Amino acid sequence: MQCALDSKAKVEVGVQIVGRWILARLRNRRFFSLAALNEAIHALLIDLNNRPLRSWGRSRRELFEELDRPALTPLPDEPYEYAEWKRCRVNLDYHVEIAKHYYSVPHNLVHEEVEARITLKTVEIFLRGKRVASHLRSILPHRPTTISEHMPSSHRRYRDWTHERIRSEAAKVGPDAETLIDVILRSRPHPEQGFRSAIGILGLVKRYGAERVDAACARALLLNARSYKSVAAILKNATDKAAPPAQEAPVLFHANIRGRSYYN
C-alpha cells in the first residue's frame, strides 16, 4: 500500500513539474484556437522530455525508451466500449426485457436469473459468467428479437410467419376472423405466443371454407373465446350455422340516469 502511495506521489509531482514548466513559457503568448495551443504545448513537451535530468544525467525520453517501453503491452484490438449490467429473470416466453424490448435466450433457461451486458450496439446475456445469447440492440419498444435456435421445436414451425402475414391472411377469410386473430395476438404478453392459435384458425379454412370459419370467429367473439380450440369446436358442432344466442340489452350507468332503486 505504501509503495502504491509513493508511486502516486511521484507521478503527481512529475505532472506538476511539466505543467509549471510549460505554463511558464506560454504565459505571455496569445492563442486564437485550441489547435494552435496544443501545437505549442506539444513542441515544449518534446523539448522538456529531451532535457537531461540533473540527478540522472539522462533525459526523460532516454529513460522511457530503456525502462518503460519494453514493459508496455499492446493496446486492445478494439477501443473501450461503455457497458451497463442488469440482472434479469427469464420469462415464460424465454425472453428477457431490456429497455422495453425483449431478447430471446435458449428456451431451457426459463425462470433462470441471468445478467445482461448492454452497450450502445449489442445486448449479451450471461448465465453464471457464460454467455448464452448475443443480440444487436434494438430501440423498438414492446417488440421481440428472437433467434430461432432459442425456440423450442414446437415454436420453430411458425418462424416464417410474421404479424403482417398473419393479419393479411386473416383479412382474406373475413372481418370477424381478422378481428378475432387481432384480439388473440394482442391478448398475449408477446404476440408470438398467439401465433399457434392464429395460424391454427387460418388452417381451418382448408377443411371448412372461409365463410364458415369467419362465422365461427364471429361466434367465438360473442362468447369471448380466444383460442383455436374454441373455433374448432364451434365448427365441429356446426354451431356457426345456428342463430346467435339472444342477449339482453346492456345496462347503462351514467351519473344523470337514476336507477329504479332511486324511486323505491
Side-chain angles (χ1 to χ4, degrees), residues 170-210:
K172 295 177 183 177
V173 177
D176 291 304
E178 182 181 16
T179 300
L180 177 62
I181 285 177
D182 186 64
V183 168
I184 290 173
L185 296 179
R186 291 177 181 273
S187 65
R188 306 306 199 264
H190 303 293
E192 283 72 10
Q193 294 177 334
F195 276 21
R196 183 175 182 179
S197 289
I199 296 170
I201 292 171
L202 295 175
L204 293 171
V205 173
K206 294 181 179 179
R207 182 175 180 182
Y208 296 100

